[in-house]
Amino acid sequence: PDGAKALGPSLSNLTSLTRLDLSENNVGPDGAKTLAPYLAKLTSLTTLVLHDNKIGPEGAKALAPS
């Protein structure tokens, strides 16, 4: 979650980002919840890779609207 807190605000500046790979970063459900509002603002994002992050159903629910 600490990494997600640090990364989230930086994502706001990447408005033309189309792919984001956060694989194997131990994001977890809390990190997913933290990142969700920032990811929702990335309207050009077409690919988000999150494998091996153990976000679980709770994290997936938070990311779904994004």
Side-chain angles (χ1 to χ4, degrees):
D2 290 339
K5 286 179 187 174
L7 177 63
S10 298
L11 292 174
S12 299
N13 299 322
L14 303 174
T15 55
S16 61
L17 186 69
T18 59
R19 178 181 166 83
L20 180 60
D21 187 340
L22 295 173
S23 301
E24 301 177 21
N25 278 290
N26 202 24
V27 171
D30 290 337
K33 288 179 195 176
T34 298
L35 290 174
Y38 297 104
L39 293 172
K41 295 176 183 175
L42 298 179
T43 56
S44 297
L45 190 67
T46 58
T47 305
L48 176 63
V49 184
L50 288 168
H51 72 80
D52 293 332
N53 274 296
K54 300 178 183 171
I55 63 170
E58 191 178 333
K61 276 186 186 179
L63 291 169
S66 301

